[in-house]
């Protein structure tokens, strides 16, 4: 890390974590080639017990966390999920379940509602069964997702749908929005793939071309206006991939600023991708959340701006983007201290430009991607 005696460097003011993400498990029935779980997810240690998760939730709430996400993997594989939802309600969290819908049924939806769950987000892989099921690695995934989206709506929840967008489904924007409208969706997140975990491994086969992206965004904007003109309340959120920006995002609103993730094995992280970094992060089995958040070297590693090398150190925008994403800097340059290469001021920005050029000429098909469950992919892509 670059040392400094620069008096302009700002010491961080550390507030409490407001958003707690409980990654209950890395287990999942799906095979998605853009999964954000670690590539070696199967090698992780034993998952936290129900009692240990309850302790995490209580500690987080005592510190001031108000928003709670249950994610994975697929959180539905945890048999104690209803108990954790009930605990979250008792503690006063606003809780959100992020699910593929596989393993969900009408009874569970009602049970989760009765236990106090506030919000359910269901993910899709495409607007048609063939593509959706091929990416998911399940022949029944699409119909299950449709049924569960309807069940969520019927239970009185807002219908929140998520589609990860990549070069193999980006041509479906109009069809995806039509599907969401038929289902009565309230919020639709069209999240263009961000390249971490399996998505980084498959970047060349997933990244859309500039032309595809421009066309897709125009289609979303057109449909957004049509929905507004028709008086529809459905909200469309289109997330542009970092690789097509000239300035980096303020990743997680700043390192160790608002978000605290606890991985299935108890590792505490400033974001769900951070365990790929060459940094030792603490574990809730060994330290309190209070100590982890305020005192651990892992969480203090990139707080403030004293760690920043040039060009970030002298940049008048460093208070907006905090140097960008540390995981992206590490994946693309091999040094997490470096400026996020997405930034046009970064000495490594040419790596982003090269990725854009490669996307303009990519020819890889779905069968060429690496899936997190290769046995499932063989059902759809036989050699």
């Amino acid at each position: 890390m670059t040392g400094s005696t620069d008096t302009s460097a700002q010491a961080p003011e550390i507030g409490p974590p407001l958003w707690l993400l409980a990654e209950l498990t890395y287990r999942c029935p799906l095979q998605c080639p853009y999964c954000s779980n670690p590539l070696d997810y199967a090698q992780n240690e034993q998952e936290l017990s129900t009692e240990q998760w309850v302790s995490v939730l209580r500690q987080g709430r005592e510190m001031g966390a108000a928003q709670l996400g249950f994610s994975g993997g697929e959180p539905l594989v945890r048999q104690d999920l209803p108990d954790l939802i009930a605990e979250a309600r008792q503690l006063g969290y606003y809780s959100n379940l992020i699910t593929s819908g596989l393993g969900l049924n009408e009874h569970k939806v009602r049970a989760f509602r009765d236990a106090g769950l506030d919000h359910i987000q269901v993910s899709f892989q495409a607007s048609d069964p063939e593509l959706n099921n091929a990416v998911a690695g399940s022949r029944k995934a699409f119909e299950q997702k449709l049924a569960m989206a309807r069940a969520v709506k019927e239970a009185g929840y807002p219908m929140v749908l998520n589609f990860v967008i990549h070069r193999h489904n980006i041509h479906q924007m109009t069809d995806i929005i039509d599907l969401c409208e038929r289902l009565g969706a309230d919020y639709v997140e069209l999240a263009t793939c961000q390249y971490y975990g399996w998505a980084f491994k498959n970047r060349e086969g997933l990244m859309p071309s500039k032309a595809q992206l421009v066309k897709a965004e125009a289609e979303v904007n057109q449909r957004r206006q049509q929905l507004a003109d028709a008086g529809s309340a459905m909200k469309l959120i289109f997330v542009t991939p970092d690789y097509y920006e000239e300035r980096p995002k303020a990743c997680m609103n700043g390192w160790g600023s608002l978000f605290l993730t606890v991985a299935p094995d108890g590792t505490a992280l400033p974001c769900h991708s951070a365990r790929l970094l060459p940094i030792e992060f603490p574990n809730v089995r060994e330290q309190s959340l209070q100590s982890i958040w305020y005192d651990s070297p892992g969480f203090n590693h990139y707080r403030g701006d004293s760690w920043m090398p040039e060009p970030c150190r002298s940049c008048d925008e460093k208070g907006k983007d905090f140097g960008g994403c540390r995981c992206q800097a590490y994946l693309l340059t091999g040094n997490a201290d470096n400026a996020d290469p997405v930034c046009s001021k970064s000495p490594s920005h040419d790596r982003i430009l090269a990725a854009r050029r490669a996307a303009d000429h990519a020819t890889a098909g779905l069968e060429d991607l690496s899936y997190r469950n290769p046995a499932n992919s063989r059902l759809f892509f036989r050699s």
Side-chain angles (χ1 to χ4, degrees), residues 121-125 160-164 187-191:
Q121 175 183 295
V122 179
S123 66
F124 280 77
Q125 280 69 37
V160 182
L161 304 180
N162 171 271
F163 292 76
V164 175
Y187 300 91
V188 180
E189 184 179 47
L190 306 165

Side-chain angles (χ1 to χ4, degrees), residues 77-245:
V77 306
R78 289 281 303 217
Q79 298 303 305
D80 57 357
L81 181 56
D83 298 326
L84 297 177
I85 290 171
E87 181 68 23
R89 166 55 62 188
Q90 183 176 349
L91 291 169
Y93 281 105
Y94 182 92
S95 58
N96 177 28
L97 174 63
I98 304 165
T99 176
S100 68
L102 271 68
L104 197 60
N105 56 44
E106 290 86 351
H107 172 74
K108 287 183 179 180
V109 171
R110 291 192 296 270
F112 293 161
R113 180 196 60 196
D114 294 343
L117 185 66
D118 295 293
H119 187 280
I120 300 177
Q121 175 183 295
V122 179
S123 66
F124 280 77
Q125 280 69 37
S127 61
D128 69 280
E130 183 177 4
L131 180 56
N132 185 100
N133 295 347
V135 173
S138 170
R139 296 192 185 281
K140 298 181 180 180
F142 187 73
E143 292 304 321
Q144 171 72 6
K145 290 170 182 288
L146 289 180
M148 289 307 99
R150 294 186 180 107
V152 166
K153 184 81 169 182
E154 289 170 4
Y157 287 106
M159 185 187 288
V160 182
L161 304 180
N162 171 271
F163 292 76
V164 175
I165 304 301
H166 46 82
R167 70 179 300 111
H168 302 289
N169 68 359
I170 197 169
H171 63 284
Q172 294 187 336
M173 302 310 296
T174 297
D175 292 338
I176 287 173
I177 297 169
D178 286 345
L179 171 64
C180 295
E181 192 172 13
R182 290 195 301 273
L183 288 172
D186 298 288
Y187 300 91
V188 180
E189 184 179 47
L190 306 165
T192 312
C193 203
Q194 306 292 347
Y195 301 103
Y196 308 97
W198 292 84
F200 185 77
K201 181 179 179 68
N202 287 308
R203 188 186 70 190
E204 291 186 9
L206 291 173
M207 188 167 164
S209 68
K210 179 67 172 180
Q212 285 180 306
L213 185 66
V214 169
K215 183 174 185 292
E217 192 164 15
E219 290 173 346
V220 172
N221 288 336
Q222 181 180 34
R223 288 305 309 277
R224 187 182 286 123
Q225 186 59 55
Q226 290 171 350
L227 290 168
D229 292 343
S232 172
M234 187 170 81
K235 304 297 182 186
L236 299 179
I237 302 169
F238 186 80
V239 182
T240 303
D242 291 359
Y243 279 55
Y244 284 104
E245 301 286 0

Side-chain angles (χ1 to χ4, degrees), residues 17 20 52-63 65 93 260-262 266-269 282-296 299 303:
L20 176 62
Q52 287 168 324
W53 274 118
V54 166
S55 176
V56 168
L57 300 188
R58 289 176 179 172
Q59 290 178 65
R61 192 73 184 99
E62 288 170 0
M63 291 172 65
Y93 281 105
L260 194 163
T261 295
V262 179
T267 302
L269 303 163
N283 195 291
V284 299
R285 301 176 194 263
E286 301 160 356
Q287 290 181 245
S288 69
L289 277 193
Q290 180 92 8
S291 172
I292 286 170
W293 180 258
Y294 289 103
D295 303 323
S296 69
F299 272 77
R303 280 176 169 148

